[in-house]
Amino acid sequence: MKQYLLSIYQPDGNPPPPDVLEPIMAELGKLNDEMKAAGAWVFAAGLHPPSTATVIRDKDGDALLTDGPFTEGKEHLGGFTIVQAADLDEALSWGSRLAGVLAPLAIEVRPIAW
């Protein structure tokens, strides 16, 4: 089986208030449990805001560190799930389910190159 990265993109800014976020997180927990039961779930994580990021570039053999996200934008990577799937269609099916739970957020599905 191949592994796929399901990237969750979200707008910059504060998260939704608890009365909005809690039901979404409950549905996400159910979907994660379903992925686990199906043997598809490998790993998932949420990320801290992009302002906590540090970008490292090599400059003549020295590490050059810069605060903040790699790119500026109105959306950022907020979290991800890694799934095992027989093929892209199966991975897209899980990605579609995730998009349904997290609507209107976008989900990007990409194969992992091992």
Side-chain angles (χ1 to χ4, degrees):
M1 289 201 149
K2 295 180 181 180
Q3 291 184 337
Y4 295 84
L5 174 68
L6 311 181
S7 301
I8 303 162
Y9 290 92
Q10 63 189 54
D12 286 339
N14 294 325
D19 62 317
V20 173
L21 190 56
E22 287 173 6
I24 293 169
M25 295 307 291
E27 288 301 310
L28 181 58
K30 290 177 189 175
L31 179 58
N32 285 340
D33 289 344
E34 188 175 336
M35 287 185 205
K36 289 174 186 177
W41 190 90
V42 175
F43 180 75
L47 301 173
H48 286 279
S51 62
T52 65
T54 303
V55 178
I56 305 170
R57 289 187 172 86
D58 182 86
K59 182 169 178 161
D60 302 322
D62 291 323
L64 177 62
L65 282 65
T66 307
D67 290 338
F70 175 69
T71 60
E72 296 294 328
K74 295 180 181 180
E75 293 183 325
H76 62 273
L77 182 64
F80 61 90
T81 298
I82 296 175
V83 297
Q84 287 191 148
D87 54 30
L88 178 59
D89 288 338
E90 185 179 332
L92 291 173
S93 177
W94 287 117
S96 296
R97 301 273 309 279
L98 186 59
V101 169
L102 299 176
L105 302 182
I107 306 301
E108 178 182 344
V109 177
R110 293 177 74 179
I112 296 175
W114 291 111

